[in-house]
Amino acid sequence: MKEKLESYVDPKKLPAHVVIIMDGNGRWAKKKNLDRISGHREGMKSVRAVVKGAKDLGIKHITLYAFSAQNWSRPKGEVNALMELLRQYLLKEGDKLSENDVRLNAIGRLHELPEDVHKVLTQTMEKTRHCRDLTLTLALSYGGREEIVDAVKKIASNGKISPNKINQSNFSDYLYTKDLPEPDLMIRTSGEMRLSNFMLWQLAYTEIYVTKTLWPNFRKRHLVKAILNYQKRERRFGLTGEQVRARDVI
Ligand code: IPE
Ligand code: IPE
Ligand code: MG
């Protein structure tokens, strides 16, 4: 049955870049009468499954929202546990990522991460720099508004572009995502219908898919379902449906 669903995926219409707001770890744990940290630990299994699943499906870019700029305000014990899980993930997965040709990338105010986490993150990115099959980007200490403010600060301080020369294209070059393609599909787990400060600029024309599945329960088959749903949609980018269909014929 699992194989069957996947066979409906059109490899020619794969999203080039899938981004995921991994949400619902706390609620998963609560349902099971466990502490929130157990939910985060369980969520790491989903990260592994989804990275492997994305690679097997032929997706070239996946970005996971792992820790927001606002998540620093959670209880200290939870923040520390999340940082430790991240450090362990990077330590354990580093070699596997490189063996599987997965390049690790990160976006966010990375300098705000604890030093030991920052170090292993940098090492893993370095180790996988040559990898080409899939780019896994972790959004860490990431905020969309923070990213836009950081871009404005850079533009203002280096004075290379005169104000009347600023446009969407050269502005994008100052975002953390400058080397990434536009996200085609954004998935949010746990049913929440909000962006929570994620990729505010980049999501302008991204297709949004919200599933009630809590992140620790999310597996490749859920990713496949999201992609199948995406492939049925018509992306219009402000044009009429007729215009889009005429363009597709050419
Ligand atoms: C997502 O799960 C993980 C992070 C935001 C770090 P949550 O911890 O937000 O889980 P809920 O939303 O409380 O269920
Ligand atoms: C968004 O989830 C951040 C991450 C998934 C890392 P949150 O759980 O922090 O978002 P809100 O608080 O429900 O908006
Ligand atoms: Mg949440």
Side-chain angles (χ1 to χ4, degrees):
M1 193 65 204
K2 225 156 76 181
E3 244 90 322
K4 198 150 167 247
L5 196 61
E6 202 178 312
S7 69
Y8 290 108
V9 172
D10 180 350
K12 292 191 295 294
K13 281 173 65 183
L14 275 179
H17 186 185
V18 177
V19 302
I20 307 182
I21 303 181
M22 310 184 287
D23 199 13
N25 294 353
R27 277 161 285 168
W28 179 90
K30 195 166 186 190
K31 270 192 178 176
K32 295 205 151 9
N33 259 322
L34 299 168
D35 57 14
R36 295 180 55 83
I37 293 159
S38 307
H40 296 314
R41 198 175 301 115
E42 194 67 18
M44 300 308 289
K45 294 184 189 163
S46 307
V47 171
R48 289 192 186 90
V50 164
V51 171
K52 185 171 184 306
K55 184 188 141 85
D56 293 347
L57 287 165
I59 290 166
K60 302 310 279 181
H61 286 271
I62 186 157
T63 296
L64 304 177
Y65 196 12
F67 193 86
S68 75
Q70 286 64 37
N71 289 151
W72 291 114
S73 304
R74 290 192 178 193
K76 201 164 180 287
E78 182 170 344
V79 170
N80 291 345
L82 280 164
M83 290 300 138
E84 182 53 22
L85 282 171
L86 173 61
R87 199 180 67 86
Q88 282 174 15
Y89 171 80
L90 294 168
L91 275 177
K92 276 196 221 146
E93 295 297 295
D95 289 335
K96 234 195 269 170
L97 292 175
S98 122
E99 277 161 29
N100 286 304
D101 207 16
V102 178
R103 184 170 75 89
L104 183 75
N105 180 38
I107 54 171
R109 290 184 171 165
L110 305 178
H111 57 275
E112 291 176 351
L113 295 169
E115 213 180 303
D116 55 348
V117 175
H118 190 267
K119 193 171 154 206
V120 61
L121 178 67
T122 318
Q123 284 168 347
T124 314
M125 289 198 289
E126 190 51 40
K127 194 162 27 179
T128 59
R129 209 159 51 116
H130 60 283
C131 298
R132 287 291 171 271
D133 199 26
L134 169 71
T135 298
L136 162 64
T137 300
L138 299 179
L140 299 167
S141 192
Y142 174 89
R145 287 188 175 179
E146 285 78 355
E147 177 180 32
I148 292 168
V149 168
D150 284 352
V152 172
K153 275 189 191 161
K154 268 187 243 161
I155 293 171
S157 66
N158 76 12
K160 275 195 206 147
I161 325 178
S162 67
N164 61 0
K165 289 270 161 56
I166 297 174
N167 55 40
Q168 293 188 17
S169 166
N170 59 28
F171 183 80
S172 301
D173 291 340
Y174 286 83
L175 295 171
Y176 308 147
T177 51
K178 63 179 183 328
D179 298 322
L180 298 176
E182 298 261 329
D184 296 309
L185 170 64
M186 188 276 261
I187 300 171
R188 182 164 187 156
T189 59
S190 88
E192 303 296 354
M193 301 279 195
R194 55 178 172 265
L195 298 180
S196 302
N197 204 13
F198 188 52
M199 292 200 165
L200 299 182
W201 170 278
Q202 295 85 345
L203 292 177
Y205 272 104
T206 304
E207 295 297 323
I208 297 174
Y209 178 89
V210 176
T211 170
K212 286 221 164 75
T213 304
L214 303 172
W215 179 250
N217 293 328
F218 196 91
R219 290 293 179 271
K220 184 185 179 187
R221 65 181 183 282
H222 300 99
L223 177 65
V224 168
K225 271 192 200 164
I227 292 170
L228 288 172
N229 184 293
Y230 163 85
Q231 292 189 330
K232 280 198 249 138
R233 301 188 191 183
E234 181 176 70
R235 301 181 74 184
R236 289 195 281 270
F237 301 95
L239 305 183
T240 66
E242 287 73 15
Q243 283 176 304
V244 171
R245 288 186 290 277
R247 192 187 57 182
D248 287 346
V249 170
I250 298 163

